[in-house]
Amino acid sequence: AFELETSRVHASFGTQNPMKSSMKFLVAGSLAVSCSALKIPNGKIATPISTVGSAVHRQTLHNYMNVQYYGDFTIGGQEIQGIFDTGSFELLVRSTRCSACTHPTPAYDHSLSKSYEKNGTVTKHVFGSGPCISMKGYEEIDVGPLKSHGQSFWEIVEHKIQVLDTANFAAIVGIGPNFAYGNQDKTLLMNFGVKEFSICLQRTPGSDGFMTWGSEVTADYKEKSYARANVVGKHHWVTRMHNVSFGKSPLNDNYANVPCTGGGCAAIIDSGTSLIAAPGLALQQLSTQIEPIMEDCSNMHLLPTLHFIIDGTELTLPPEAYVMRVTGEIVEADSIWDILWFKPKVRKVNMCMPAFMQMDMHSQHGPVWILGMPFFRYYHTTFDREQKAMHFALAGPSCSAHPFKSNASDKALIAFNAGASKGPMDIDVHQIVPPTLSSMI
């Protein structure tokens, strides 16, 4: 693991008001990956894939404002809602020990548990959304039929994570591929005996997502039918990414304006981050490749597809994935807008803008990008701890996994997505969840 080098690049791009030309908004960079349309050899769209084995458990991820997807679990017999987060590796729970905390949903109360064991170690966790002080303990954790006795976890006793004050979840359930840094306590995945799981979010605004604990298809089928990306990080689900570009042929574009050429970048596939995060310089480069976006999203049908290469496989992301429309009340707090790449001069609702956050981090594998929730709306993603790999299938109706074929045509992709929403995703910026990454990758 290497320390991440951080820096910040200041730049501007924005939206264009169709009624007023004073505000121009160049949509810069995107990161998420989308589906390169898939067909099976006989030319027909593949049918949904059934699960294999009796140990598979499919869990609903409830959708809140299209930026928080949380699942139910029990800790010490108490039902808690948590974000199942591939970007972290520990279990943190908002606790009643935090007397100064706002508790919009029920918090964990150790005094009500018969299985709680005290450790008492106090530490500070620093996330992209802010720091928190936590106390270590051990508890019984249940997710559906899965059970872990004596699971190490952290009670949040103090925090400065703004989203927790209004969130519909009270826990961050880390499901990274390995132990936490400097910690030999087994993770929840290890104690559950789960070597493989998958996550997918439905594309229709307001729809739920799903997490499947266990293998859905055979290893042979997965290798033949899905796109594979090897995991290069020890603690995160990170792989290599190259040649990010708007347009059909990133390799033929001007390399000066194509991020992740040469040695490439690191791409973290992160179910706990609401948007897409990328380095400021990369977003600047991509802003030169795309026309202004109308503030009312009226020109979305003219916007290009985003292309990039994940561990040797070219993937794409349509405009519906990298453009968002701000909803909710007008937000005045700078801290909320600061995490967004585009910071409009006039903050108002029903305004379209890029679904990107600026995050300047560097790793041994290059500049770091985060493929957040927009990615999972287009790819049914399987995480394999044993093989240290991720596999991508096209996300079909009800998050069914459809075989991936990287050389399928854009026309086939359009046909496959015909039933999906054609507008931007409505986002309440109050509820955006920033990355929960640790300081090392």
Side-chain angles (χ1 to χ4, degrees), residues 28 39 44-45 54 59 77 95 102 120 136 138 149 172 180 215 274 280 296 298 320 328 348 357-358 361 370 407 433:
K39 288 189 176 182
K44 297 180 180 179
I45 295 294
S54 57
Q59 178 180 19
S95 169
T102 300
K136 188 176 181 179
Y138 302 93
H149 299 281
I172 299 171
S215 302
S274 296
D296 63 356
S298 59
E320 290 79 11
K348 56 185 177 180
M357 295 182 284
Q358 181 176 340
M361 304 176 71
I370 294 180
N407 63 352
V433 181

PDB file of all heavy atoms in Angstrom, residues 28 39 44-45 54 59 77 95 102 120 136 138 149 172 180 215 274 280 296 298 320 328 348 357-358 361 370 407 433:
ATOM      1  N   ALA A  28     -17.275  18.264 -17.974  1.00  0.00           N
ATOM      2  CA  ALA A  28     -15.980  17.659 -18.072  1.00  0.00           C
ATOM      3  C   ALA A  28     -16.054  16.283 -17.544  1.00  0.00           C
ATOM      4  O   ALA A  28     -16.945  15.888 -16.949  1.00  0.00           O
ATOM      5  CB  ALA A  28     -14.993  18.420 -17.272  1.00  0.00           C
ATOM      6  N   LYS A  39     -24.631  -9.117 -26.785  1.00  0.00           N
ATOM      7  CA  LYS A  39     -25.455 -10.145 -27.425  1.00  0.00           C
ATOM      8  C   LYS A  39     -24.754 -11.487 -27.261  1.00  0.00           C
ATOM      9  O   LYS A  39     -23.540 -11.556 -27.202  1.00  0.00           O
ATOM     10  CB  LYS A  39     -25.644  -9.854 -28.917  1.00  0.00           C
ATOM     11  CG  LYS A  39     -26.567  -8.670 -29.209  1.00  0.00           C
ATOM     12  CD  LYS A  39     -26.866  -8.598 -30.694  1.00  0.00           C
ATOM     13  CE  LYS A  39     -27.844  -7.500 -31.018  1.00  0.00           C
ATOM     14  NZ  LYS A  39     -28.171  -7.455 -32.440  1.00  0.00           N
ATOM     15  N   LYS A  44     -29.205 -12.883 -30.252  1.00  0.00           N
ATOM     16  CA  LYS A  44     -30.318 -12.488 -29.411  1.00  0.00           C
ATOM     17  C   LYS A  44     -29.812 -11.990 -28.062  1.00  0.00           C
ATOM     18  O   LYS A  44     -28.800 -12.424 -27.569  1.00  0.00           O
ATOM     19  CB  LYS A  44     -31.258 -13.679 -29.193  1.00  0.00           C
ATOM     20  CG  LYS A  44     -31.909 -14.193 -30.478  1.00  0.00           C
ATOM     21  CD  LYS A  44     -32.818 -15.356 -30.175  1.00  0.00           C
ATOM     22  CE  LYS A  44     -33.482 -15.887 -31.453  1.00  0.00           C
ATOM     23  NZ  LYS A  44     -34.363 -17.042 -31.165  1.00  0.00           N
ATOM     24  N   ILE A  45     -30.576 -11.051 -27.491  1.00  0.00           N
ATOM     25  CA  ILE A  45     -30.231 -10.583 -26.157  1.00  0.00           C
ATOM     26  C   ILE A  45     -30.367 -11.741 -25.192  1.00  0.00           C
ATOM     27  O   ILE A  45     -31.330 -12.494 -25.213  1.00  0.00           O
ATOM     28  CB  ILE A  45     -31.158  -9.432 -25.728  1.00  0.00           C
ATOM     29  CG1 ILE A  45     -30.931  -8.215 -26.639  1.00  0.00           C
ATOM     30  CG2 ILE A  45     -30.929  -9.035 -24.290  1.00  0.00           C
ATOM     31  CD1 ILE A  45     -29.556  -7.596 -26.507  1.00  0.00           C
ATOM     32  N   SER A  54     -27.418 -22.977  -2.928  1.00  0.00           N
ATOM     33  CA  SER A  54     -28.437 -22.657  -1.936  1.00  0.00           C
ATOM     34  C   SER A  54     -27.988 -21.566  -0.982  1.00  0.00           C
ATOM     35  O   SER A  54     -28.783 -21.046  -0.212  1.00  0.00           O
ATOM     36  CB  SER A  54     -28.786 -23.925  -1.142  1.00  0.00           C
ATOM     37  OG  SER A  54     -27.603 -24.457  -0.542  1.00  0.00           O
ATOM     38  N   GLN A  59     -30.274  -9.374  -1.435  1.00  0.00           N
ATOM     39  CA  GLN A  59     -30.717  -8.353  -0.495  1.00  0.00           C
ATOM     40  C   GLN A  59     -31.115  -7.081  -1.239  1.00  0.00           C
ATOM     41  O   GLN A  59     -30.411  -6.627  -2.141  1.00  0.00           O
ATOM     42  CB  GLN A  59     -29.585  -8.042   0.493  1.00  0.00           C
ATOM     43  CG  GLN A  59     -29.915  -6.963   1.503  1.00  0.00           C
ATOM     44  CD  GLN A  59     -28.757  -6.715   2.449  1.00  0.00           C
ATOM     45  OE1 GLN A  59     -27.621  -7.080   2.157  1.00  0.00           O
ATOM     46  NE2 GLN A  59     -29.033  -6.105   3.579  1.00  0.00           N
ATOM     47  N   GLY A  77     -29.196  -7.759  17.711  1.00  0.00           N
ATOM     48  CA  GLY A  77     -30.651  -7.880  17.713  1.00  0.00           C
ATOM     49  C   GLY A  77     -31.392  -6.622  17.302  1.00  0.00           C
ATOM     50  O   GLY A  77     -32.616  -6.614  17.237  1.00  0.00           O
ATOM     51  N   SER A  95     -23.914   5.593  16.967  1.00  0.00           N
ATOM     52  CA  SER A  95     -24.207   5.017  18.280  1.00  0.00           C
ATOM     53  C   SER A  95     -24.896   6.015  19.204  1.00  0.00           C
ATOM     54  O   SER A  95     -24.694   7.230  19.103  1.00  0.00           O
ATOM     55  CB  SER A  95     -22.893   4.551  18.924  1.00  0.00           C
ATOM     56  OG  SER A  95     -23.073   4.222  20.280  1.00  0.00           O
ATOM     57  N   THR A 102     -26.908  14.005  15.732  1.00  0.00           N
ATOM     58  CA  THR A 102     -28.287  13.986  15.262  1.00  0.00           C
ATOM     59  C   THR A 102     -28.592  12.569  14.800  1.00  0.00           C
ATOM     60  O   THR A 102     -27.791  11.953  14.101  1.00  0.00           O
ATOM     61  CB  THR A 102     -28.472  14.968  14.091  1.00  0.00           C
ATOM     62  OG1 THR A 102     -28.147  16.286  14.545  1.00  0.00           O
ATOM     63  CG2 THR A 102     -29.893  14.947  13.574  1.00  0.00           C
ATOM     64  N   GLY A 120     -13.120  -1.164  23.799  1.00  0.00           N
ATOM     65  CA  GLY A 120     -12.790   0.134  24.375  1.00  0.00           C
ATOM     66  C   GLY A 120     -11.761   0.947  23.635  1.00  0.00           C
ATOM     67  O   GLY A 120     -11.550   2.126  23.946  1.00  0.00           O
ATOM     68  N   LYS A 136     -14.160   0.764  19.565  1.00  0.00           N
ATOM     69  CA  LYS A 136     -14.214  -0.616  19.094  1.00  0.00           C
ATOM     70  C   LYS A 136     -14.974  -1.522  20.051  1.00  0.00           C
ATOM     71  O   LYS A 136     -14.915  -1.383  21.271  1.00  0.00           O
ATOM     72  CB  LYS A 136     -12.791  -1.150  18.902  1.00  0.00           C
ATOM     73  CG  LYS A 136     -12.705  -2.507  18.233  1.00  0.00           C
ATOM     74  CD  LYS A 136     -11.249  -2.891  18.011  1.00  0.00           C
ATOM     75  CE  LYS A 136     -11.126  -4.241  17.307  1.00  0.00           C
ATOM     76  NZ  LYS A 136      -9.706  -4.605  17.064  1.00  0.00           N
ATOM     77  N   TYR A 138     -17.358  -5.700  19.932  1.00  0.00           N
ATOM     78  CA  TYR A 138     -17.651  -6.938  19.211  1.00  0.00           C
ATOM     79  C   TYR A 138     -19.147  -7.224  19.346  1.00  0.00           C
ATOM     80  O   TYR A 138     -19.741  -7.036  20.400  1.00  0.00           O
ATOM     81  CB  TYR A 138     -16.830  -8.103  19.762  1.00  0.00           C
ATOM     82  CG  TYR A 138     -15.337  -7.869  19.691  1.00  0.00           C
ATOM     83  CD1 TYR A 138     -14.664  -7.326  20.782  1.00  0.00           C
ATOM     84  CD2 TYR A 138     -14.625  -8.152  18.530  1.00  0.00           C
ATOM     85  CE1 TYR A 138     -13.293  -7.081  20.725  1.00  0.00           C
ATOM     86  CE2 TYR A 138     -13.257  -7.909  18.462  1.00  0.00           C
ATOM     87  CZ  TYR A 138     -12.601  -7.369  19.559  1.00  0.00           C
ATOM     88  OH  TYR A 138     -11.255  -7.116  19.485  1.00  0.00           O
ATOM     89  N   HIS A 149     -20.703 -14.095  14.660  1.00  0.00           N
ATOM     90  CA  HIS A 149     -20.603 -13.909  16.108  1.00  0.00           C
ATOM     91  C   HIS A 149     -19.279 -13.223  16.442  1.00  0.00           C
ATOM     92  O   HIS A 149     -18.245 -13.517  15.846  1.00  0.00           O
ATOM     93  CB  HIS A 149     -20.677 -15.256  16.833  1.00  0.00           C
ATOM     94  CG  HIS A 149     -21.956 -15.995  16.613  1.00  0.00           C
ATOM     95  ND1 HIS A 149     -23.126 -15.688  17.281  1.00  0.00           N
ATOM     96  CD2 HIS A 149     -22.263 -17.030  15.785  1.00  0.00           C
ATOM     97  CE1 HIS A 149     -24.092 -16.503  16.885  1.00  0.00           C
ATOM     98  NE2 HIS A 149     -23.594 -17.329  15.971  1.00  0.00           N
ATOM     99  N   ILE A 172     -21.989   2.341   8.008  1.00  0.00           N
ATOM    100  CA  ILE A 172     -21.197   2.099   6.809  1.00  0.00           C
ATOM    101  C   ILE A 172     -20.640   0.690   6.947  1.00  0.00           C
ATOM    102  O   ILE A 172     -19.847   0.409   7.856  1.00  0.00           O
ATOM    103  CB  ILE A 172     -20.059   3.118   6.665  1.00  0.00           C
ATOM    104  CG1 ILE A 172     -20.622   4.538   6.560  1.00  0.00           C
ATOM    105  CG2 ILE A 172     -19.200   2.798   5.440  1.00  0.00           C
ATOM    106  CD1 ILE A 172     -19.566   5.624   6.631  1.00  0.00           C
ATOM    107  N   ALA A 180      -8.534  -4.627   7.215  1.00  0.00           N
ATOM    108  CA  ALA A 180      -8.290  -3.195   7.334  1.00  0.00           C
ATOM    109  C   ALA A 180      -6.804  -2.969   7.598  1.00  0.00           C
ATOM    110  O   ALA A 180      -6.077  -3.880   8.025  1.00  0.00           O
ATOM    111  CB  ALA A 180      -9.123  -2.613   8.468  1.00  0.00           C
ATOM    112  N   SER A 215     -22.278 -16.714  -4.996  1.00  0.00           N
ATOM    113  CA  SER A 215     -22.078 -16.826  -6.442  1.00  0.00           C
ATOM    114  C   SER A 215     -23.403 -17.004  -7.155  1.00  0.00           C
ATOM    115  O   SER A 215     -24.181 -17.902  -6.816  1.00  0.00           O
ATOM    116  CB  SER A 215     -21.155 -18.003  -6.761  1.00  0.00           C
ATOM    117  OG  SER A 215     -19.905 -17.845  -6.114  1.00  0.00           O
ATOM    118  N   SER A 274     -21.768   8.450  -4.196  1.00  0.00           N
ATOM    119  CA  SER A 274     -22.975   8.802  -4.937  1.00  0.00           C
ATOM    120  C   SER A 274     -22.730   9.147  -6.395  1.00  0.00           C
ATOM    121  O   SER A 274     -23.578   8.890  -7.246  1.00  0.00           O
ATOM    122  CB  SER A 274     -23.681   9.988  -4.268  1.00  0.00           C
ATOM    123  OG  SER A 274     -24.130   9.648  -2.976  1.00  0.00           O
ATOM    124  N   GLY A 280      -8.839  16.740 -10.953  1.00  0.00           N
ATOM    125  CA  GLY A 280      -9.191  17.996 -11.592  1.00  0.00           C
ATOM    126  C   GLY A 280      -8.577  18.156 -12.968  1.00  0.00           C
ATOM    127  O   GLY A 280      -9.224  18.667 -13.897  1.00  0.00           O
ATOM    128  N   ASP A 296     -31.342  23.157 -18.838  1.00  0.00           N
ATOM    129  CA  ASP A 296     -32.576  22.379 -18.715  1.00  0.00           C
ATOM    130  C   ASP A 296     -32.442  20.977 -19.317  1.00  0.00           C
ATOM    131  O   ASP A 296     -33.426  20.260 -19.476  1.00  0.00           O
ATOM    132  CB  ASP A 296     -33.746  23.113 -19.377  1.00  0.00           C
ATOM    133  CG  ASP A 296     -33.540  23.310 -20.883  1.00  0.00           C
ATOM    134  OD1 ASP A 296     -32.456  22.938 -21.393  1.00  0.00           O
ATOM    135  OD2 ASP A 296     -34.456  23.831 -21.549  1.00  0.00           O
ATOM    136  N   SER A 298     -31.975  20.036 -22.257  1.00  0.00           N
ATOM    137  CA  SER A 298     -32.684  19.871 -23.520  1.00  0.00           C
ATOM    138  C   SER A 298     -31.813  19.316 -24.635  1.00  0.00           C
ATOM    139  O   SER A 298     -32.325  18.880 -25.662  1.00  0.00           O
ATOM    140  CB  SER A 298     -33.301  21.202 -23.958  1.00  0.00           C
ATOM    141  OG  SER A 298     -32.300  22.193 -24.105  1.00  0.00           O
ATOM    142  N   GLU A 320     -26.938   9.815 -19.842  1.00  0.00           N
ATOM    143  CA  GLU A 320     -27.862   9.656 -18.713  1.00  0.00           C
ATOM    144  C   GLU A 320     -27.136   9.291 -17.429  1.00  0.00           C
ATOM    145  O   GLU A 320     -27.676   9.474 -16.333  1.00  0.00           O
ATOM    146  CB  GLU A 320     -28.898   8.566 -19.031  1.00  0.00           C
ATOM    147  CG  GLU A 320     -29.907   8.946 -20.096  1.00  0.00           C
ATOM    148  CD  GLU A 320     -29.357   8.836 -21.512  1.00  0.00           C
ATOM    149  OE1 GLU A 320     -28.261   8.262 -21.689  1.00  0.00           O
ATOM    150  OE2 GLU A 320     -30.018   9.345 -22.450  1.00  0.00           O
ATOM    151  N   GLY A 328     -34.671  19.251  -4.865  1.00  0.00           N
ATOM    152  CA  GLY A 328     -34.698  19.612  -3.446  1.00  0.00           C
ATOM    153  C   GLY A 328     -34.646  21.110  -3.255  1.00  0.00           C
ATOM    154  O   GLY A 328     -34.834  21.896  -4.177  1.00  0.00           O
ATOM    155  N   LYS A 348     -29.741  26.723  -7.830  1.00  0.00           N
ATOM    156  CA  LYS A 348     -31.184  26.580  -7.899  1.00  0.00           C
ATOM    157  C   LYS A 348     -31.545  25.149  -8.249  1.00  0.00           C
ATOM    158  O   LYS A 348     -30.702  24.356  -8.673  1.00  0.00           O
ATOM    159  CB  LYS A 348     -31.764  27.549  -8.925  1.00  0.00           C
ATOM    160  CG  LYS A 348     -31.180  27.412 -10.330  1.00  0.00           C
ATOM    161  CD  LYS A 348     -31.733  28.499 -11.239  1.00  0.00           C
ATOM    162  CE  LYS A 348     -31.117  28.414 -12.616  1.00  0.00           C
ATOM    163  NZ  LYS A 348     -31.640  29.468 -13.514  1.00  0.00           N
ATOM    164  N   MET A 357     -17.451  14.604  -9.032  1.00  0.00           N
ATOM    165  CA  MET A 357     -16.775  15.229  -7.907  1.00  0.00           C
ATOM    166  C   MET A 357     -15.289  15.286  -8.224  1.00  0.00           C
ATOM    167  O   MET A 357     -14.754  14.363  -8.843  1.00  0.00           O
ATOM    168  CB  MET A 357     -16.987  14.430  -6.620  1.00  0.00           C
ATOM    169  CG  MET A 357     -18.424  14.395  -6.147  1.00  0.00           C
ATOM    170  SD  MET A 357     -18.626  13.486  -4.599  1.00  0.00           S
ATOM    171  CE  MET A 357     -18.487  11.800  -5.193  1.00  0.00           C
ATOM    172  N   GLN A 358     -14.639  16.348  -7.805  1.00  0.00           N
ATOM    173  CA  GLN A 358     -13.187  16.434  -7.996  1.00  0.00           C
ATOM    174  C   GLN A 358     -12.485  15.794  -6.811  1.00  0.00           C
ATOM    175  O   GLN A 358     -12.778  16.096  -5.660  1.00  0.00           O
ATOM    176  CB  GLN A 358     -12.745  17.890  -8.125  1.00  0.00           C
ATOM    177  CG  GLN A 358     -11.235  18.030  -8.341  1.00  0.00           C
ATOM    178  CD  GLN A 358     -10.812  19.464  -8.564  1.00  0.00           C
ATOM    179  OE1 GLN A 358     -11.636  20.302  -8.925  1.00  0.00           O
ATOM    180  NE2 GLN A 358      -9.545  19.745  -8.342  1.00  0.00           N
ATOM    181  N   MET A 361      -6.117  12.512  -5.931  1.00  0.00           N
ATOM    182  CA  MET A 361      -5.358  11.531  -5.162  1.00  0.00           C
ATOM    183  C   MET A 361      -4.464  10.763  -6.130  1.00  0.00           C
ATOM    184  O   MET A 361      -4.812  10.564  -7.293  1.00  0.00           O
ATOM    185  CB  MET A 361      -6.293  10.557  -4.447  1.00  0.00           C
ATOM    186  CG  MET A 361      -7.306  11.212  -3.533  1.00  0.00           C
ATOM    187  SD  MET A 361      -8.472  10.019  -2.813  1.00  0.00           S
ATOM    188  CE  MET A 361      -7.410   9.163  -1.658  1.00  0.00           C
ATOM    189  N   ILE A 370     -12.877   7.286  -9.141  1.00  0.00           N
ATOM    190  CA  ILE A 370     -13.867   6.459  -8.447  1.00  0.00           C
ATOM    191  C   ILE A 370     -15.088   6.288  -9.339  1.00  0.00           C
ATOM    192  O   ILE A 370     -15.705   7.263  -9.758  1.00  0.00           O
ATOM    193  CB  ILE A 370     -14.288   7.070  -7.099  1.00  0.00           C
ATOM    194  CG1 ILE A 370     -13.102   7.078  -6.136  1.00  0.00           C
ATOM    195  CG2 ILE A 370     -15.438   6.269  -6.487  1.00  0.00           C
ATOM    196  CD1 ILE A 370     -13.424   7.650  -4.786  1.00  0.00           C
ATOM    197  N   ASN A 407     -17.297  -6.205 -28.231  1.00  0.00           N
ATOM    198  CA  ASN A 407     -17.280  -5.663 -29.592  1.00  0.00           C
ATOM    199  C   ASN A 407     -18.682  -5.451 -30.154  1.00  0.00           C
ATOM    200  O   ASN A 407     -18.867  -5.306 -31.355  1.00  0.00           O
ATOM    201  CB  ASN A 407     -16.480  -6.585 -30.527  1.00  0.00           C
ATOM    202  CG  ASN A 407     -17.126  -7.963 -30.645  1.00  0.00           C
ATOM    203  OD1 ASN A 407     -18.071  -8.273 -29.931  1.00  0.00           O
ATOM    204  ND2 ASN A 407     -16.585  -8.780 -31.536  1.00  0.00           N
ATOM    205  N   VAL A 433     -23.348  11.242  -0.921  1.00  0.00           N
ATOM    206  CA  VAL A 433     -22.371  10.569  -0.072  1.00  0.00           C
ATOM    207  C   VAL A 433     -21.011  10.617  -0.760  1.00  0.00           C
ATOM    208  O   VAL A 433     -20.809  10.002  -1.803  1.00  0.00           O
ATOM    209  CB  VAL A 433     -22.764   9.091   0.182  1.00  0.00           C
ATOM    210  CG1 VAL A 433     -21.738   8.436   1.097  1.00  0.00           C
ATOM    211  CG2 VAL A 433     -24.157   9.010   0.767  1.00  0.00           C
TER     212      VAL A 433
END
